[in-house]
Amino acid sequence: MKKKTSLYSVVILVAGIVVLLNLLSDTFFLRLDFTADKRYTLSKATKDILKNLNRPVTVKAYFTRDLPPNIATTRRDFKDLLTEYSRISHGMVQFTFIDPNQSPESEQEAVRSGVQPLIIDSREKDKIVQKKAYLGAVVQYSEKNDVIPLLQPGAPIEYYLSTSIKKLTVTDKPSVAFVQNCKAATITAMPQVNQAASVLNTTVPVYLSDSTSALESYLTAVFVDPQDSLPPYITRQFDQFLGKGGNLIIAFDRVNGNLSSGFPMGSSHNTGLEKWLKDKGIDVREDFVTDINCNHIGVRQQGLPFTISVAFPYFPNITTFADHPIVKGLEEVALPFASSIVYSGDSAHTWIPLAMTSEKSGRREVPVYFDINYQWKESDFPEKNLVVAGLLKNNASPERKGQIMVVSSGKFCVNGEGENAVQLNPDNVNLLVNAIDYLNDQSGLIDLRTKTITSRPLKEISEGKRTFLKFFNFLFPVFLAIGYGIFRMERNRSLRIKRMEEDYV
């Protein structure tokens, strides 16, 4: 009887503790974050935005209920994030959740607001059916609103929400100049960059002339993929701009790769920009960087009606980055036809390599014939950590003043226009926009854009190690089972011998 009473007491105590914890969780929000990139810990930038709110922000979250587990986590994460936003802002962030699938009126409201449905596969009664899933929100502040049309699973939710609030509450955004001379890439040819950069900045196309200095009112200027030679007045204005504390971001091709002709060749590309940079100690060499970690291209074989995918080491995938805010959180950046960069400047400046090739890379000096059918070997990649992007700091200037960032691939951030437009890898966009935000904006939101995993490339290992691991994974469990069997057999044998002894009790 006492045992039953004790058991009942334990059950009641445990149930009481569970109820108490649930009540406390409604009042006090606590979340432990053990993720590598602290994805569930609010940044200082977000806290500063929330603490400076002087009017309420209302978030209408349009989320479908009863979603598959891998998608339902987005709803839960978003709700947890809004709860924390509300707590830190002392109730200035208010939110409601609406299920558009509950009624036609709710769905029409979501669509009119700009929230886009996602078609997903869902299992219902042992059948796979397609259904609309809504994973978006509308952020309202005063008379203005901003739409987050779709939050894909794994997306940087804090970045989207914080930048949406920042976009509505900010009064003056700093401007950034995109220099358009010498047939450089236009803003319309970089829609992904323009969209991301416009969150915290105003992007302005700027044409330099010999008679006026058009960069005086800007803190940061961007010059991407110039095709023609630079007249002297452009480099002169660049020098004046840097001398007054301006920052310059340059992405250009030192070499030209032509794959469209019947005889694919790589040659030197001279615009005068390479000479101007070399005078500052930044030598972008006349070579093609190759890397065992590379992109693939489609090749049409003779006599076949389809293309096959072939590894193309001249399109390296860069996964080695410095510990610097511009490249923090980046996973993989594709740099087609990149060149190696060597710095030989004086002590008045500091050169910071930002992006490097892998442990198995190489370089080919121009001219180069691109043999698509060449069978690449590990011996073709004798070099490592070749610099393909870097930042030159002027030690005499204040922090983030008079700096030059160089990327040795002009088209890495260009979508193109019309039928030739392509979708870019997100980290290609992040690299340029991070640089703009780092040099042009001091809010700290730069750290949030990459607060998620876009891709996690597998580490390259040698063929010998791969073979060893394959046999180890196969044989180790077998030997472990055999060893455990022998141990059990010997243990039982020892027990039997002990039981046969006269004094065994």
Side-chain angles (χ1 to χ4, degrees):
M1 187 68 180
K2 286 184 178 181
K3 286 185 178 180
K4 284 189 176 181
T5 304
S6 177
L7 179 62
Y8 291 149
S9 299
V10 171
V11 171
I12 293 171
L13 180 62
V14 171
I17 291 173
V18 171
V19 171
L20 180 62
L21 288 175
N22 276 281
L23 292 173
L24 289 174
S25 67
D26 287 338
T27 307
F28 303 100
F29 184 85
L30 176 65
R31 178 165 57 186
L32 299 177
D33 187 358
F34 296 103
T35 58
D37 57 353
K38 296 298 177 185
R39 188 179 304 181
Y40 302 106
T41 300
L42 291 189
S43 67
K44 183 180 181 299
T46 292
K47 292 177 181 178
D48 290 342
I49 292 170
L50 297 176
K51 290 176 181 177
N52 290 327
L53 291 176
N54 51 27
R55 293 182 185 179
V57 172
T58 303
V59 180
K60 280 189 177 180
Y62 295 95
F63 275 75
T64 302
R65 289 182 177 273
D66 301 324
L67 293 171
N70 62 320
I71 301 177
T73 54
T74 304
R75 184 185 190 278
R76 185 183 66 243
D77 291 344
F78 194 55
K79 187 174 182 180
D80 289 345
L81 195 65
L82 286 169
T83 302
E84 198 162 358
Y85 273 47
S86 180
R87 180 180 64 85
I88 290 175
S89 66
H90 302 290
M92 295 296 281
V93 175
Q94 303 163 3
F95 62 91
T96 57
F97 273 77
I98 301 171
D99 183 0
N101 297 68
Q102 289 295 100
S103 67
E105 293 79 13
S106 298
E107 185 170 14
Q108 288 175 10
E109 179 184 333
V111 173
R112 280 198 306 267
S113 299
V115 177
Q116 302 171 359
L118 178 70
I119 306 301
I120 62 169
D121 292 330
S122 178
R123 180 178 290 276
E124 295 181 3
K125 297 180 180 180
D126 297 328
K127 292 182 180 180
I128 299 296
V129 297
Q130 288 191 327
K131 63 184 295 187
K132 289 182 181 179
Y134 289 86
L135 304 165
V138 177
V139 182
Q140 298 174 326
Y141 178 79
S142 189
E143 300 299 322
K144 301 181 290 184
N145 60 47
D146 185 61
V147 181
I148 305 174
L150 178 64
L151 287 169
Q152 292 277 7
I157 300 176
E158 184 186 350
Y159 169 70
Y160 288 126
L161 186 54
S162 293
T163 50
S164 183
I165 296 174
K166 173 87 172 179
K167 193 189 304 183
L168 295 174
T169 57
V170 70
T171 53
D172 296 316
K173 292 194 292 186
S175 296
V176 55
F178 279 75
V179 180
Q180 308 287 268
N181 298 69
C182 307
K183 294 183 181 178
T186 62
I187 292 180
T188 55
M190 297 183 284
Q192 285 181 261
V193 168
N194 187 36
Q195 182 181 17
S198 296
V199 172
L200 299 176
N201 311 275
T202 301
T203 58
V204 182
V206 173
Y207 293 86
L208 305 182
S209 68
D210 196 12
S211 57
T212 59
S213 181
L215 297 176
E216 285 185 352
S217 59
Y218 299 94
L219 178 59
T220 302
V222 182
F223 196 32
V224 176
D225 197 27
Q227 297 299 307
D228 291 349
S229 298
L230 276 65
Y233 69 83
I234 290 184
T235 54
R236 183 174 66 249
Q237 289 197 35
F238 283 169
D239 284 326
Q240 293 171 355
F241 179 63
L242 292 167
K244 293 179 180 179
N247 300 306
L248 187 60
I249 301 172
I250 296 174
F252 80 112
D253 289 328
R254 182 65 184 91
V255 289
N256 180 40
N258 183 8
L259 296 176
S260 59
S261 66
F263 194 72
M265 286 289 296
S267 58
S268 178
H269 185 215
N270 299 307
T271 61
L273 194 56
E274 67 284 344
K275 183 180 184 303
W276 180 75
L277 288 171
K278 192 169 184 178
D279 290 341
K280 300 182 181 304
I282 306 172
D283 183 12
V284 184
R285 297 191 286 190
E286 286 183 279
D287 61 22
F288 287 87
V289 163
T290 59
D291 201 309
I292 199 169
N293 182 24
C294 62
N295 258 314
H296 288 65
I297 61 173
V299 177
R300 185 179 294 277
Q301 294 291 327
Q302 189 173 5
L304 296 177
F306 53 85
T307 60
I308 61 172
S309 181
V310 176
F312 194 62
Y314 296 98
F315 284 6
N317 285 331
I318 304 301
T319 58
T320 305
F321 302 100
D323 184 13
H324 191 276
I326 291 178
V327 290
K328 182 180 179 181
L330 297 185
E331 297 290 336
E332 184 176 86
V333 175
L335 295 183
F337 296 133
S339 299
S340 60
I341 305 175
V342 176
Y343 180 69
S344 58
D346 53 33
S347 59
H349 296 80
T350 299
W351 173 250
I352 304 173
L354 295 176
M356 289 75 69
T357 59
S358 73
E359 297 288 318
K360 296 177 181 178
S361 53
R363 45 189 293 266
R364 301 284 180 96
E365 294 187 354
V366 296
V368 173
Y369 168 66
F370 301 125
D371 185 358
I372 305 299
N373 297 315
Y374 180 73
Q375 298 297 314
W376 292 83
K377 306 177 293 294
E378 286 194 14
S379 58
D380 293 319
F381 306 99
E383 302 193 51
K384 63 180 181 180
N385 298 335
L386 297 170
V387 178
V388 290
L391 181 70
L392 184 65
K393 294 177 61 177
N394 186 347
N395 296 333
S397 296
E399 184 67 17
R400 303 190 189 183
K401 299 285 187 179
Q403 301 190 40
I404 306 174
M405 177 181 167
V406 179
V407 182
S408 65
S409 174
K411 297 177 178 59
F412 85 96
C413 57
V414 180
N415 298 87
E417 298 183 70
E419 296 180 354
N420 296 322
V422 296
Q423 186 75 8
L424 296 176
N425 171 25
D427 275 349
N428 280 40
V429 178
N430 288 335
L431 175 58
L432 181 56
V433 179
N434 281 1
I436 293 172
D437 286 350
Y438 174 77
L439 297 172
N440 207 52
D441 180 78
Q442 307 296 319
S443 70
L445 283 176
I446 180 177
D447 296 326
L448 303 183
R449 186 180 295 108
T450 52
K451 203 174 179 181
T452 183
I453 302 300
T454 54
S455 64
R456 185 73 78 182
L458 296 176
K459 185 178 180 181
E460 290 289 335
I461 59 175
S462 64
E463 187 64 32
K465 189 173 182 179
R466 192 180 294 116
T467 302
F468 168 77
L469 290 174
K470 181 172 67 176
F471 283 102
F472 178 81
N473 289 335
F474 174 73
L475 295 175
F476 179 72
V478 176
F479 285 119
L480 188 64
I482 293 173
Y484 179 70
I486 294 173
F487 168 76
R488 286 291 303 270
M489 183 180 68
E490 290 296 324
R491 183 171 175 272
N492 293 335
R493 180 170 164 275
S494 298
L495 287 173
R496 285 197 303 271
I497 292 174
K498 283 184 179 181
R499 291 187 184 121
M500 293 173 63
E501 294 177 357
E502 293 183 2
D503 57 347
Y504 177 77
V505 179

